[in-house]
Amino acid sequence: MGEQKNATLPEDLMYAEILPRIPAKYIIRCRLVCKSWNSVFSRPAFVNSHLTHQLHNNSEENDRIIVRPCGFYEGVVDILSTDSIRVRKVPYACDTLCGSINGLVLMVSKPGKRFCLWNPAIGQVKLFDFPPLDGHYAGGFCWDHVQNDYKALLFCYDSMSSPARQICIYSTNSATWTSLCIPQNLMLPGLHDSFWMLLGHSTIVKGTPYWSCSKSLTLPGEKHERKFFWTFKFVPEINEFRILPDLDSLKCCGDTFSIVNIKDRLVGMTYNSVTHGGTNMVDMYSLDNEESSSGVWSKMYSIGPVYFCSNQRLLHAFRNGGEVLIRGNSGPFTFYDPKIKETKRIAGTTSSRTRTPTFFRELYGQCYSYTPSLVRVRGMESMQNFSTNGELKSQASPV
């Protein structure tokens, strides 16, 4: 008999085609095996290849929502699919969750006037301060995929009652702030307005943030006001705002409108608000052409009936599965699963512990799709290099 030889896979095939398809949590464990593996898995080419495969992988591992409940500064809630949660401890107390893109989570610190960009999967953090400007701020997050540049947004106000006058943009590539005047035809609400929170809660689709709210207008020749749902976005590749076509409430069944990300598409949900509990049918709309003023919101399908308790509303959606998260003022997280047409509680969001009612109170709008990744940006440090107040320890050296 001839000598048997052990078959081995070529390294190029392993690193280019096999390992990038493995979930981030296993790659992170493999990085601990030896220095050479850590070096390979930290290279930008591998990180980008791994991210590309994970974003196109529809497994439950990558279909998550990350939430910061109101009044809970110690961590965020990572909802994996619709049957489990994990509490992730934040680098230090955060006041606002601004967005999640490609595994990076942007927050504003509880003391204020400082951003925290965090990758929970690899335990890396970047802190940077607000620009030295007066006024009031609300944040946003976006990704310029052309330059691979992650950007933080600040809307700047002269007073509580005035609309935003400019936007400041932080580039993680250059680590600098620039400012941009907001177009006059984009009249954003003032901070006194109940819609000011929309600036702290966008819906992010492929790195582009979208905001929406309603406005009431009396059209020429009509006596009564009509409600319109309007949406705008910020295009990070060219640092430009674009106003999208309105949706007339008379042309849809519902007085409430929310936008979500389903399968990397912007989807609008309309339904009737319920204040005392009941069921609703929810109509799902897509925008035919975002780049043209002649674009139209077209109804795709309806889901439901969805059961709402008192003072609940649809809040977000799982990107791949399409299950819709329902906001509540207290108690457990609930979601509507369109596949089985049922509303369910998410296991693990209630318990007999004393802190639970406060822990899961008032979700507001701070929740985003989240996919674990190996992505890091310039200036990121290990969480271990920071003290509890967010200051870099003196013995820490830049990574």
Side-chain angles (χ1 to χ4, degrees), residues 90-125:
V90 299
Y92 64 106
C94 70
D95 185 50
T96 302
L97 185 62
C98 299
S100 172
I101 302 174
N102 299 344
L104 298 177
V105 179
L106 183 68
M107 303 174 291
V108 176
S109 66
K110 183 181 177 183
K113 301 211 171 180
R114 171 173 278 193
F115 276 112
C116 173
L117 185 60
W118 173 41
N119 185 326
I122 62 175
Q124 294 276 316
V125 167

Side-chain angles (χ1 to χ4, degrees), residues 352-368:
S352 59
R353 292 181 298 176
T354 304
R355 69 180 295 176
T356 300
T358 301
F359 182 84
F360 291 105
R361 279 181 65 186
E362 300 184 5
L363 302 184
Y364 288 109
Q366 297 182 18
C367 61
Y368 297 89

